[in-house]
Amino acid sequence: MASWVLSECGLRPLPRIYPKPRIGLSSVSTTNLNLRRISPSPIRTDRNCWALRVSAPLRIQIAGEEEEQTTNNGDEFFDPGAPPPFKLSDIKAAIPKHCWVKNPWTSMSYVVRDVAIVFGLAAAAAYFNNWLVWPLYWFAQSTMFWALFVLGHDCGHGSFSNNHNLNSVAGHILHSSILVPYHGWRISHRTHHQNHGHVENDESWHPLSEKLYNSLDDITKKFRFTLPFPLLAYPFYLWGRSPGKKGSHFDPSSDLFVASEKKDVITSTVCWTAMAALLVGLSFVMGPLQVLKLYGIPYWGFVMWLDIVTYLHHHGHEDKVPWYRGEEWSYLRGGLTTLDRDYGWINNIHHDIGTHVIHHLFPQIPHYHLVEATEAAKPVLGKYYKEPKKSGPLPFYLLGYLIKSMKEDHFVSDTGSVVYYQTDPNLYGSEK
């Protein structure tokens, strides 16, 4: 007589035993019952809340569920928070040598192209000065401002060229033109790359701990997680950083910087101030409304581009991505939590910045080699690489990921070395 096991729907036959072990699972077997816990994590209960509160999604799997999960596609269970079976050097060895070569002429050609488009768009919009044209101009020009930022971003990483002076001059021109303090940003962005995926040490779009989240007032929570407000955050981040962190990208005495970097920060702050003064001067010459239409609205469009792209590099996957603390964190494991995104026609315009995993692991690779480097690294990365969904001509589909993440990814547990985002069911005034 066949053995039977209790399931959610009553009695059903005990599934056959698989000879192959399951990666990342620990089994507890009895005569007729096989329970598997998928994501072990610290469990906490509150008097006022009957539900379990965990640092990762917790689920007890009844025997037979695993059969459905593994046999439908033939894949074994994959734990994205487990240490990878490869090293950073293995990924590096798979990337062709020419992908590491920086060509300053190629980099400068992109600068010339983008600057020419920026001035061409502005001239065309001013010439037609038509309210049917202005909205098209604002979208196009904000996208080009974002493209200028990405080229300056390459300067900050040193992937623009091997010439430090060229990188610095080009970076200052590109970033100052869109009101970004080049060195202040460069240094904090370096901190982000060196600590990405670390709950406390990461610099941008890092998760809030549950304690810090609960210390925020309701208005701050709503502004942080209710669109469109998070998409306007970047200028405020430059002035005051993220919740729980102090300092400013404009202040040379900020905790962001060491003593040897103060002169660089002052230089960038002066360049930023000069650009701001130029805009004020132009408002007297052209009129404030014209400056608003030609520069002000595209600037805020650029801010939204930046916040959307950078947020979705690290949030909004169909499956939760891990964040680390303590000895569980490593440069490799943190970098592997980043996400590639497809932007359709925008890919080439914003210099393939959506090809982000390899960029995070090897920021010295020029943007024009990132796609090829990624393809070469995929066999090594295996399931640790999350293939992006293909976009149409314009990446409207990403708005769905953004909205979903804003509704669900609110904080992480105060404890635990591998943690996942949790949801505040009361944030929007009602239980989920």
Side-chain angles (χ1 to χ4, degrees):
M1 180 176 179
S3 298
W4 292 75
V5 63
L6 283 172
S7 73
E8 299 96 321
C9 301
L11 291 174
R12 72 187 204 189
L14 184 69
R16 59 178 179 270
I17 298 174
Y18 290 85
K20 294 182 68 176
R22 293 303 186 260
I23 300 172
L25 297 177
S26 57
S27 303
V28 180
S29 301
T30 63
T31 306
N32 292 323
L33 184 64
N34 187 0
L35 300 178
R36 296 182 187 272
R37 189 172 67 180
I38 297 302
S39 300
S41 50
I43 301 176
R44 229 176 77 191
T45 59
D46 291 331
R47 292 181 179 179
N48 298 327
C49 180
W50 59 268
L52 292 179
R53 307 185 72 185
V54 298
S55 62
L58 177 67
R59 187 163 67 88
I60 302 299
Q61 188 178 40
I62 306 299
E65 282 187 350
E66 182 185 63
E67 180 180 28
E68 296 172 3
Q69 287 187 354
T70 57
T71 58
N72 285 344
N73 53 24
D75 294 333
E76 294 181 342
F77 171 77
F78 171 69
D79 179 7
F86 49 82
K87 299 178 181 178
L88 193 65
S89 58
D90 298 326
I91 308 173
K92 184 176 181 179
I95 298 174
K97 291 183 179 179
H98 68 266
C99 290
W100 304 88
V101 177
K102 309 164 193 176
N103 188 326
W105 294 105
T106 301
S107 298
M108 284 302 301
S109 71
Y110 284 106
V111 173
V112 172
R113 182 196 76 173
D114 288 2
V115 170
I117 294 174
V118 166
F119 279 99
L121 288 172
Y127 175 78
F128 289 105
N129 195 20
N130 186 299
W131 285 105
L132 294 176
V133 173
W134 283 115
L136 299 175
Y137 166 77
W138 292 331
F139 174 78
Q141 192 70 298
S142 64
T143 305
M144 292 311 303
F145 279 15
W146 166 235
L148 294 181
F149 176 89
V150 176
L151 291 177
H153 163 271
D154 283 5
C155 295
H157 280 298
S159 60
F160 190 85
S161 77
N162 287 321
N163 187 313
H164 173 76
N165 292 330
L166 176 60
N167 293 340
S168 183
V169 171
H172 272 97
I173 293 173
L174 292 164
H175 275 194
S176 298
S177 70
I178 50 176
L179 294 177
V180 175
Y182 172 70
H183 279 310
W185 163 85
R186 176 184 63 80
I187 295 166
S188 74
H189 189 66
R190 179 188 64 198
T191 301
H192 164 59
H193 268 259
Q194 291 175 342
N195 297 278
H196 178 259
H198 194 290
V199 174
E200 286 82 21
N201 297 341
D202 201 351
E203 174 59 28
S204 55
W205 291 123
H206 64 89
L208 302 177
S209 67
E210 185 174 3
K211 180 179 179 180
L212 178 57
Y213 177 85
N214 289 332
S215 72
L216 301 177
D217 58 72
D218 290 341
I219 294 178
T220 301
K221 291 178 183 177
K222 289 289 179 64
F223 269 93
R224 185 175 175 90
F225 297 105
T226 303
L227 296 172
F229 302 112
L231 307 185
L232 307 175
Y234 188 64
F236 303 97
Y237 162 73
L238 291 176
W239 283 102
R241 299 180 74 189
S242 303
K245 296 180 182 290
K246 298 179 180 179
S248 169
H249 291 75
F250 300 91
D251 181 5
S253 61
S254 170
D255 293 340
L256 277 166
F257 316 118
V258 298
S260 61
E261 295 168 334
K262 289 186 176 182
K263 289 183 179 180
D264 286 342
V265 176
I266 292 172
T267 299
S268 296
T269 301
V270 168
C271 291
W272 184 96
T273 305
M275 182 61 193
L278 175 62
L279 292 171
V280 172
L282 287 174
S283 68
F284 284 103
V285 175
M286 306 170 62
L289 181 59
Q290 190 73 346
V291 172
L292 176 66
K293 291 189 294 184
L294 286 172
Y295 186 91
I297 295 177
Y299 168 78
W300 283 105
F302 144 68
V303 168
M304 296 181 75
W305 263 118
L306 185 149
D307 284 329
I308 290 172
V309 173
T310 56
Y311 182 86
L312 290 176
H313 281 159
H314 310 298
H315 300 77
H317 194 259
E318 293 88 344
D319 302 318
K320 296 286 187 180
V321 295
W323 289 81
Y324 302 101
R325 290 188 178 99
E327 294 182 357
E328 288 292 339
W329 180 88
S330 70
Y331 180 85
L332 175 59
R333 293 176 75 180
L336 290 175
T337 65
T338 57
L339 303 169
D340 279 8
R341 300 291 189 183
D342 182 25
Y343 291 88
W345 288 348
I346 309 296
N347 284 332
N348 180 264
I349 296 173
H350 71 181
H351 309 293
D352 290 312
I353 193 63
T355 312
H356 204 65
V357 176
I358 290 300
H359 165 69
H360 242 278
L361 295 174
F362 306 107
Q364 63 271 41
I365 295 179
H367 74 264
Y368 41 85
H369 291 318
L370 283 175
V371 173
E372 181 181 0
T374 298
E375 290 300 320
K378 282 182 184 180
V380 179
L381 297 173
K383 292 183 180 180
Y384 285 88
Y385 179 79
K386 304 167 187 66
E387 193 74 38
K389 180 179 178 179
K390 292 300 180 183
S391 174
L394 294 176
F396 293 118
Y397 79 100
L398 290 174
L399 294 177
Y401 291 117
L402 179 66
I403 294 170
K404 183 175 184 291
S405 179
M406 287 290 170
K407 289 182 177 179
E408 297 180 355
D409 299 337
H410 298 152
F411 59 86
V412 297
S413 174
D414 295 324
T415 60
S417 298
V418 182
V419 295
Y420 296 78
Y421 267 111
Q422 300 178 47
T423 303
D424 177 4
N426 299 313
L427 178 61
Y428 301 103
S430 61
E431 294 279 342
K432 274 189 130 185

